Amino acid sequence: MTFDFSGDPFTTGFWAPTRFEADLHDCEIEGDIPEGIDGTFYRAAVDRRYPPRHPLDIPYNADGAIDMFRIRGGRCDFRSRYVRTPRYVAERKARRALFGAYRNRSTNDPAAAGLSMNTANTTPIVFGGNLLALKESSPPMRLDPHTLETFEEYDFDGRMTAESFTAHPKIDPLTGEMLAFSYEARGDLSDDLAIHFLAPDGTLERTVWVKAPVVSMMHDWAITDRHVVLPTTGMVTSRERLEAGQNHWAYDPRVPAYVGIMPRDGEAKDMRWFKGPPDRAMLIHTTNARTVGDKVIVDTPVARGNFNPQFPNLDGGSFDHEARKNTIRRWTFDLASSSDTWQEEILFQGVTPTSFTRMDDRFLTQDFRWSFNLLHDPAFAFDNARTRVPMRGNWNAWYRFDHQGGSIDKFSAGPTHELFEAQFVPRRADAPEGDGWLIGVANDYAEMTSELVIADAQYLADGPVARVKLPFRLHMQVHGWWVPAHVLPFEFGRDYDYHGADYGPETRIP
Ligand code: V55
Ligand code: FE
């Protein structure tokens, strides 16, 4: 019986599933990792263990794996593990894919009935001593942040009744609280939203339930020191779609943008929904937001149309590559006015930025200046004669964007390299905003290997100060997370024990 991954462009060439787990101590390093970098960089990858069971399945439904780079004193250790989701455990037992199309239960094998669809493939985040591997359509998977062992699908010790949890929770740097939300929070197609407030020790303390004006993909949101900001999108679904075995989402260009704003100490009745035109209804990631007097100001990339060819257009039309381009916009909501809409200013027209935008997270909710963005810059030419496979998304640049002055600084990892999202690492805990480094993974399509690249965030044009070179390739990353050692202490050089077992969802380690 043939058993391979051919037939899916995301599972061939550089993108063939890695299907392995690694422990690599003392990685090879080119250049000098700055001494000030002390902590752990996690990334979530989408890496299939079995060929897709359904012709409409997409990379966003691939198995989640967590990669971990531990850095101290100029040295680096690497570890990677698949997340033992209930899906992983069941498919490993069955020795084949049981789950069908992305977020569509009707396409699953009957053997998957009743099992969680969790893929845990979007964001790794450390909070309250746990590593949470997040997928927006499921509760978090709780992992050991040192061994990457999976403990369980996590309902916050029974406190969370919502059936999903965003891949973009926000940690308030001033209070240490985490705020999060759930959409389709009472199951597929439900218009229930839940907004969660978690104490710094990880306890889920309070949930506010509200109704969404439209059931849509709500991938990211924003918080300020006083408000939460919840944008809907034009990526919609329906019972008919799911019953027909189609993709969970389709893009409807007629759906307007709604943005809900609620005070952090408010109740459901305090949620106020603003309504904008449809060309603002494709927000995937926000950069930052703040409340200034009666105004809530959100800086965010937004596309005017469907952001992702993995999701079809509702009218069946072909994908519009121009409409997917994000511009960086500033949305200003005036809470003192009775207007039901908001002002929009374009800060950056740019060159095809993706929506991957990060900042110095110590300044989340506050006045800020810098964002760090992943995009395609045609000025950084690819050396196609040296690459061994076609380049994929051509995300070849990190841009530092000045939200106050409008200027850009650019980083390239090399002419055969593609980059993933950057993390900002402050030089010291009390360093000024933006004083530190950018770290992230690059793929080298000439060597067919992956690297961790490190740049001085204030001198991006100088190129990498260090490269951690892996002797293998990593799979496509979604998001990453940097955790300084003062937040998550660890012993460098210790072999944290991995028991090698399949931790099923029932396993509970105290
Ligand atoms: C996104 C990613 C997802 C997903 C839904 O980038 C939206 C947006 C990796 O999975 O399921
Ligand atoms: Fe995201």
Side-chain angles (χ1 to χ4, degrees):
M1 181 173 86
T2 305
F3 175 69
D4 70 14
F5 288 86
S6 57
D8 174 349
F10 282 92
T11 52
T12 53
F14 201 99
W15 301 106
T18 75
R19 307 180 84 233
F20 82 156
E21 301 184 320
D23 275 299
L24 190 61
H25 299 149
D26 281 317
C27 300
E28 294 163 66
I29 296 163
E30 204 177 277
D32 290 308
I33 299 181
E35 285 288 325
I37 301 185
D38 186 0
T40 312
F41 168 59
Y42 299 94
R43 71 195 282 274
V46 285
D47 200 354
R48 282 190 191 283
R49 299 192 64 257
Y50 289 98
R53 190 185 123 78
H54 194 277
L56 286 182
D57 200 14
I58 59 174
Y60 281 1
N61 197 33
D63 298 283
I66 305 294
D67 300 326
M68 170 171 98
F69 293 85
R70 254 198 172 153
I71 305 174
R72 176 169 295 162
R75 308 292 284 271
C76 179
D77 290 346
F78 176 83
R79 169 170 286 196
S80 66
R81 294 289 184 272
Y82 280 97
V83 184
R84 268 55 171 177
T85 57
R87 163 174 137 163
Y88 175 106
V89 174
E91 292 188 342
R92 171 140 174 199
K93 252 179 222 151
R95 303 180 77 89
R96 64 189 170 89
L98 300 174
F99 290 77
Y102 173 82
R103 296 188 62 178
N104 191 333
R105 271 188 186 283
S106 77
T107 62
N108 291 351
D109 188 287
L115 285 179
S116 164
M117 305 264 285
N118 206 338
T119 50
N121 67 9
T122 311
T123 307
I125 189 167
V126 168
F127 189 68
N130 291 311
L131 171 60
L132 304 177
L134 303 172
K135 178 73 176 179
E136 65 191 51
S137 41
S138 298
M141 293 299 300
R142 189 171 75 89
L143 278 66
D144 182 313
H146 303 295
T147 64
L148 305 183
E149 282 167 68
T150 302
F151 294 149
E152 62 188 340
E153 191 171 65
Y154 190 44
D155 64 2
F156 297 92
D157 302 308
R159 288 166 182 265
M160 189 175 81
T161 56
E163 294 178 32
S164 59
F165 190 88
T166 179
H168 289 286
K170 306 291 177 190
I171 298 176
D172 183 328
L174 300 178
T175 67
E177 294 162 281
M178 178 190 271
L179 280 72
F181 72 98
S182 311
Y183 75 93
E184 292 189 75
R186 290 198 161 104
D188 284 346
L189 305 168
S190 73
D191 60 357
D192 298 283
L193 304 175
I195 301 157
H196 308 289
F197 299 84
L198 294 92
D201 70 357
T203 308
L204 197 161
E205 290 191 317
R206 191 166 81 94
T207 296
V208 175
W209 288 86
V210 295
K211 289 284 185 185
V214 53
V215 179
S216 71
M217 179 190 285
M218 296 173 71
H219 181 70
D220 196 0
W221 65 327
I223 66 166
T224 76
D225 59 347
R226 286 169 46 204
H227 297 96
V228 300
V229 182
L230 269 168
T232 68
T233 70
M235 202 60 88
V236 294
T237 186
S238 67
R239 183 164 308 284
E240 298 70 51
R241 295 191 64 74
L242 297 189
E243 283 173 359
Q246 290 178 305
N247 200 308
H248 192 98
W249 301 118
Y251 180 71
D252 185 346
R254 298 163 305 183
V255 173
Y258 295 94
V259 177
I261 298 186
M262 188 188 86
R264 280 168 60 161
D265 56 6
E267 311 277 336
K269 66 172 172 38
D270 304 316
M271 177 68 92
R272 177 167 164 190
W273 287 98
F274 295 81
K275 187 176 170 185
D279 68 356
R280 296 180 194 172
M282 204 59 262
L283 180 157
I284 290 297
H285 296 118
T286 63
T287 309
N288 197 13
R290 56 249 188 242
T291 302
V292 180
D294 290 321
K295 297 205 166 75
V296 172
I297 304 164
V298 184
D299 284 14
T300 180
V302 183
R304 73 178 155 76
N306 188 353
F307 81 109
N308 194 326
Q310 293 182 48
F311 303 112
N313 292 322
L314 190 64
D315 66 4
S318 59
F319 189 77
D320 179 348
H321 288 271
E322 276 304 307
R324 81 168 303 185
K325 293 180 181 173
N326 282 266
T327 50
I328 299 177
R329 312 189 199 183
R330 175 165 293 161
W331 287 355
T332 302
F333 302 83
D334 186 352
L335 301 180
S337 112
S338 57
S339 164
D340 76 339
T341 190
W342 68 92
Q343 299 300 311
E344 178 180 275
E345 183 190 345
I346 307 258
L347 300 183
F348 182 60
Q349 278 291 356
V351 281
T352 73
T354 68
S355 69
F356 284 100
T357 175
R358 296 302 297 265
M359 60 170 300
D360 181 340
D361 286 331
R362 297 172 304 157
F363 291 81
L364 199 77
T365 74
Q366 301 150 62
D367 258 346
F368 81 117
R369 182 159 184 194
W370 310 110
S371 66
F372 305 102
N373 305 281
L374 173 66
L375 44 81
H376 173 66
D377 187 342
F380 293 136
F382 283 114
D383 186 349
N384 287 311
R386 283 175 55 216
T387 58
R388 291 208 250 156
V389 287
M391 306 292 278
R392 192 191 51 102
N394 290 354
W395 297 344
N396 63 348
W398 286 337
Y399 272 28
R400 182 179 75 158
F401 177 65
D402 179 348
H403 287 246
Q404 293 174 14
S407 69
I408 50 170
D409 294 279
K410 307 174 182 186
F411 171 86
S412 155
T416 59
H417 289 69
E418 184 171 31
L419 287 157
F420 294 102
E421 179 193 76
Q423 315 298 311
F424 176 78
V425 180
R427 199 171 302 275
R428 293 177 311 279
D430 61 352
E433 188 202 349
D435 179 13
W437 300 279
L438 293 189
I439 72 171
V441 165
N443 289 336
D444 181 346
Y445 294 100
E447 298 294 329
M448 295 292 275
T449 53
S450 299
E451 314 171 349
L452 185 76
V453 292
I454 303 176
D456 189 313
Q458 300 185 93
Y459 301 96
L460 292 183
D462 293 352
V465 299
R467 299 173 186 265
V468 176
K469 297 209 149 194
L470 299 177
F472 41 77
R473 61 186 167 79
L474 298 177
H475 213 270
M476 183 170 80
Q477 174 181 325
V478 186
H479 292 290
W481 202 260
W482 169 256
V483 189
H486 65 85
V487 172
L488 180 72
F490 58 87
E491 262 178 68
F492 201 54
R494 171 173 154 198
D495 282 323
Y496 285 96
D497 251 8
Y498 178 72
H499 304 296
D502 276 335
Y503 290 92
E506 70 286 347
T507 308
R508 176 77 214 214
I509 295 181

